[in-house]
């Protein structure tokens, strides 16, 4: 097996296996890999690159899970611990609406004391600002926790959240599925198998979701490929994932002590490119500029990426861990970034419907 035979297979529309994906990860010619990923992307998406106008709300950083890679969480009695009130959440949503946002992205810690009704009220509060705001909220990890709070099975929990106005789910909490690594990273979190099983139920409930992979910590390349394999298999069954988002680990202020200061640009580009080629049943691959920085995110548009996430506005998870990207990007800045990369900026809604192109 060599790069050329894999490239021929991919260009003929074939599906590569895990050994071939690993071979792509190990291929030294980065530009050849990028060109292949870009050919696959352009076949599907042409030269169009999606972004959206959104705002993140991280309603609390108080979390019972204490993941070792996370610099965001606090225990309730620690300095810096916070919980937003519904009024604070409403005013953030109002501000976002005034700035043209179409999506509010809500994720937070697993708070020990909040009742299930708080989460329903939080969604209803945002929808009360405008029914047109799409609420993309709660990772599969949070859904598992909310189901326990509600004392309901997952499908009924999702039904209640949908009734309150939940529109779709973000892709966080997947981390890396490999059990040995996951146990070192986040022993208290639900397993990879549980994450996948919840996402399957999410898709069965008629909700779309995203899928992430946290990389650049203790995992091997084999672990990354195996993570993508499990995502691809579930996607074959449900078709419910909208986008694959590799998240580059930000190492500051977490309990994980690693040598080096985060992922290297070459590794970021390889991971996005292999994701694009291997995950042939995912329409979209997102470069989350918050974790990658704007420069690598822009260059990734020649490595198979067709989505840059959004304006974000107030990001805490990556920035607490040392991300040196800005907190927000304006619509104009994203449009310029895409145009300067020789692509066509397309503002989308959360469900990847075009709003306008520039
Ligand atoms: O689940 C936590 C990750 C995730 C760190 O679906 C870290 O559109 C890097 O999932 N370094 C939350 N990553 C963010 C997330 C997300 C972001 C943007 C868009 C979407 C989407 C989803 O952030 C967590 C975890 O995997 N994370 N700590 C860290 N130090």
């Amino acid at each position: 097996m060599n790069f050329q035979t894999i490239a021929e297979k991919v260009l003929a529309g074939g599906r590569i296996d895990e050994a071939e994906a690993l071979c792509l990860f190990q291929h030294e010619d980065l530009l050849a890999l990028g060109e292949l990923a870009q050919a696959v992307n352009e076949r599907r998406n042409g030269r169009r690159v999606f972004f959206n106008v959104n705002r993140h709300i991280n309603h609390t950083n108080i979390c019972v899970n204490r993941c070792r890679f996370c610099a965001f969480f606090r225990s309730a009695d620690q300095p810096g611990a916070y919980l937003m009130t519904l009024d604070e959440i409403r005013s953030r949503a109002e501000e976002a609406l005034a700035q043209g946002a179409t999506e509010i992205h809500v994720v937070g810690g697993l708070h020990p004391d909040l009742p299930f009704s708080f989460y329903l009220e939080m969604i209803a509060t945002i929808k009360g600002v405008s029914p047109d705001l799409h609420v993309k909220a709660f990772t599969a990890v949070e859904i598992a926790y909310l189901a326990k709070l509600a004392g309901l099975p997952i499908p009924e929990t999702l039904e209640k959240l949908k009734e309150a106005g939940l529109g779709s789910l973000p892709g966080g909490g997947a981390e890396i599925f490999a059990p040995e690594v996951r146990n070192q990273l986040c022993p208290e979190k639900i397993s990879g198998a549980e994450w996948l099983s919840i996402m399957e139920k999410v898709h069965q409930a008629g909700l779309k979701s995203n899928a992430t992979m946290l990389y650049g910590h203790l995992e091997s390349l084999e672990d990354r490929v195996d993570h993508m394999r499990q995502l691809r298999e579930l996607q074959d069954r449900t078709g419910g994932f909208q986008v694959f988002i590799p998240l580059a680990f930000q190492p500051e202020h977490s309990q994980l002590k690693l040598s080096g200061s985060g992922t290297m640009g070459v590794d970021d580009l390889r991971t996005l490119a292999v994701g694009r080629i291997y995950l042939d049943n995912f329409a979209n691959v997102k470069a989350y500029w918050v974790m990658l920085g704007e420069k690598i995110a822009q260059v990734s548009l020649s490595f198979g990426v067709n989505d840059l996430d959004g304006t974000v506005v107030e990001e805490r998870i990556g920035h607490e861990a040392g991300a040196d990207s800005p907190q927000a990007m304006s619509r104009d800045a994203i449009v310029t970034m895409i145009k300067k990369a020789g692509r066509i900026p397309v503002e989308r809604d959360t469900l990847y419907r075009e709003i306008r192109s520039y």
Side-chain angles (χ1 to χ4, degrees):
M1 176 197 333
N2 64 25
F3 180 80
Q4 212 41 50
T5 50
I6 299 172
E8 280 162 20
K9 181 174 185 180
V10 169
L11 292 172
R15 171 171 267 201
I16 65 168
D17 65 20
E18 292 71 49
E20 290 165 326
L22 192 59
C23 179
L24 291 183
F25 259 122
Q26 290 162 340
H27 185 59
E28 279 178 7
D29 187 344
L30 178 68
L31 291 184
L33 176 65
E35 207 177 342
L36 183 60
Q38 193 53 11
V40 172
N41 178 36
E42 288 195 11
R43 196 157 59 195
R44 218 184 231 280
N45 300 304
R47 297 185 74 76
R48 292 152 52 89
V49 173
F50 284 126
F51 71 97
N52 73 349
V53 180
N54 66 350
R55 174 158 188 154
H56 285 208
I57 298 180
N58 301 129
H59 51 282
T60 182
N61 62 354
I62 300 172
C63 189
V64 299
N65 251 0
R66 297 171 298 181
C67 299
R68 292 184 61 225
F69 60 81
C70 180
F72 171 67
F73 81 85
R74 301 284 183 279
S75 54
D77 54 0
Q78 242 181 318
Y82 73 86
L83 167 63
M84 289 180 189
T85 63
L86 291 177
D87 280 344
E88 286 170 322
I89 289 163
R90 182 183 301 107
S91 72
R92 279 170 168 78
E94 284 167 352
E95 201 180 280
L97 185 69
Q99 288 165 351
T102 56
E103 168 189 291
I104 306 291
H105 168 130
V106 184
V107 295
L110 307 183
H111 193 288
D113 307 319
L114 290 173
F116 183 53
S117 58
F118 173 88
Y119 299 90
L120 299 174
E121 283 170 37
M122 179 160 66
I123 299 173
T125 298
I126 298 169
K127 292 303 273 185
V129 170
S130 166
D132 295 336
L133 279 174
H134 180 108
V135 181
K136 179 180 85 180
F138 310 132
T139 65
V141 178
E142 289 169 277
I143 296 294
Y145 191 70
L146 297 191
K148 276 201 196 125
L149 290 181
L152 292 172
I154 301 287
E156 279 83 343
T157 306
L158 291 169
E159 225 27 71
K160 297 240 179 273
L161 293 166
K162 255 173 89 172
E163 277 165 24
L166 180 69
S168 65
L169 271 79
E175 321 314 357
I176 200 87
F177 296 144
E180 327 74 62
V181 183
R182 197 176 182 87
N183 282 340
Q184 292 183 64
L185 286 186
C186 45
E188 292 157 293
K189 191 166 257 177
I190 58 170
S191 68
E194 285 169 292
W195 187 95
L196 288 158
S197 146
I198 288 171
M199 281 307 188
E200 185 153 17
K201 294 185 174 111
V202 165
H203 300 165
Q204 283 162 354
L207 291 163
K208 295 286 184 191
S209 78
N210 299 341
T212 59
M213 174 180 76
L214 185 69
Y215 70 95
H217 42 83
L218 305 171
E219 89 291 359
S220 63
L221 294 180
E222 286 83 352
D223 293 333
R224 291 187 204 177
V225 171
D226 193 57
H227 187 98
M228 290 194 252
R229 175 188 61 77
Q230 299 188 58
L231 292 178
R232 190 169 81 173
E233 284 175 7
L234 179 53
Q235 180 75 334
D236 274 342
R237 291 205 298 279
T238 66
F241 288 124
Q242 306 201 96
V243 57
F244 175 58
I245 316 165
L247 294 171
F249 175 56
Q250 312 291 309
E252 278 180 37
H253 308 131
S254 81
Q255 294 162 43
L256 269 195
K257 296 289 166 250
L258 302 175
S259 57
S261 55
T263 62
M264 299 222 160
V266 165
D267 195 21
D268 295 328
L269 295 172
R270 277 211 174 96
T271 307
L272 289 159
V274 176
R276 165 59 77 190
I277 296 165
Y278 177 81
L279 293 172
D280 59 347
N281 53 5
F282 277 65
N284 305 296
V285 175
K286 181 191 283 188
Y288 184 43
W289 58 264
V290 168
M291 305 294 186
L292 294 171
E294 299 138 288
K295 291 185 180 182
I296 290 290
Q298 187 190 34
V299 172
S300 76
L301 300 182
S302 298
F303 284 76
V305 165
N306 74 314
D307 185 15
L308 280 183
D309 200 77
T311 46
V312 177
V313 182
E314 187 183 7
E315 201 285 332
R316 294 181 185 238
I317 298 172
H319 286 90
E320 292 273 352
D324 56 11
S325 55
Q327 278 281 336
M329 272 219 273
S330 67
R331 180 196 266 122
D332 286 353
I334 300 180
V335 165
T336 303
M337 190 168 156
I338 296 171
K339 280 193 170 162
K340 293 272 182 197
R343 320 271 146 186
I344 304 159
V346 179
E347 185 180 334
R348 60 163 175 85
D349 67 9
T350 309
L351 300 175
Y352 287 82
R353 292 173 299 213
E354 174 170 343
I355 296 175
R356 64 181 76 86
S357 60
Y358 291 80

